[in-house]
Amino acid sequence: MDKILITRAGYTALETELKKLKSEERPAIIQAIAEARELGDLKENAEYHSAREKQGFIEGRIKELESVIGLAEVVDTSTLSGPIKFGAVVTLVDEDTDEEKTWQIVGEHEASVEKGLLNIKSPIARALIGKEEGDSVEVRTPGGSKSYEILSITYK
C-alpha cells in the first residue's frame, strides 16, 4: 500500500480522534445499547436500532483511522522551503476580485476548506504545486476558470 502524506498537526488530530472514539464514544454506545436492550422487544425499539447504527459508524471510523495512521508518513513541513509543495502555506490573491486567501496544502485525510487546509489532490493545489512567489496560476474548477497570483509561500 502507498504511504499517506500527512502533516504533524494532521497526524495528531487523527490520533486524538481515534483515542476519543475508543475511550469515550465506544464505551458510551455500548452502554446505550445495553440500556436499550433492557427496554424490551428489540424489533420495535428505536433507541436500540439508533444505537446499533451509531455503533456501526463508530467502529467503521475507528478502522478507517487505524488504517490511515498505519500508512501515514508524517512530513516535517518546518524543514521545507522553495517552490510550492506538500505542506506549503500559500497566500493567493484572486486576480478578478482582489480577494486574498491563505491555504495550507495538506493530505486528503486532514483537508478542511473551512480551516484553510486544502487537499493536495484538489484542482487548486495541483495547479499550485511547483510554482513560486509572484507566479500567476490559472485554475480550472467545476465553477469555471479562476486566476490567482501567488503572494507568499511559507512552511511552518
Side-chain angles (χ1 to χ4, degrees), residues 2-3 14 16 24 32 43 56 69 71 77 80-81 85 95 100 103 110 116 122 130 134-135 141-143 146 149 155:
D2 292 336
K3 287 288 186 184
L14 293 180
T16 301
E24 296 174 26
K43 288 181 182 176
I69 289 170
L71 295 171
T77 57
L80 302 175
S81 62
K85 57 184 139 286
E95 293 180 343
E100 283 189 26
W103 302 99
E110 59 186 314
S122 71
D135 287 353
T141 66
K146 299 284 268 176
E149 181 183 341
Y155 293 89

Side-chain angles (χ1 to χ4, degrees), residues 39-139:
L39 297 176
D41 186 14
L42 297 181
K43 288 181 182 176
E44 296 181 18
N45 187 329
E47 289 86 2
Y48 175 77
H49 293 288
S50 175
R52 289 293 303 212
E53 187 175 308
K54 187 172 181 183
Q55 182 185 36
F57 172 78
I58 290 170
E59 294 302 324
R61 184 67 179 152
I62 287 171
K63 281 185 173 62
E64 178 185 8
L65 289 172
E66 288 174 339
S67 175
V68 170
I69 289 170
L71 295 171
E73 182 176 323
V74 179
V75 177
D76 182 2
T77 57
S78 66
T79 63
L80 302 175
S81 62
I84 298 172
K85 57 184 139 286
F86 181 87
V89 177
V90 183
T91 302
L92 308 170
V93 63
D94 186 315
E95 293 180 343
D96 296 326
T97 66
D98 289 333
E99 179 185 352
E100 283 189 26
K101 294 182 181 183
T102 300
W103 302 99
Q104 182 175 19
I105 299 174
V106 297
E108 63 183 305
H109 295 283
E110 59 186 314
S112 169
V113 174
E114 297 82 26
K115 295 178 183 176
L117 302 173
L118 193 60
N119 183 344
I120 193 162
K121 295 180 179 179
S122 71
I124 296 174
R126 287 194 319 248
L128 291 172
I129 298 296
K131 302 293 191 266
E132 298 191 20
E133 282 183 26
D135 287 353
S136 189
V137 179
E138 185 157 330
V139 181

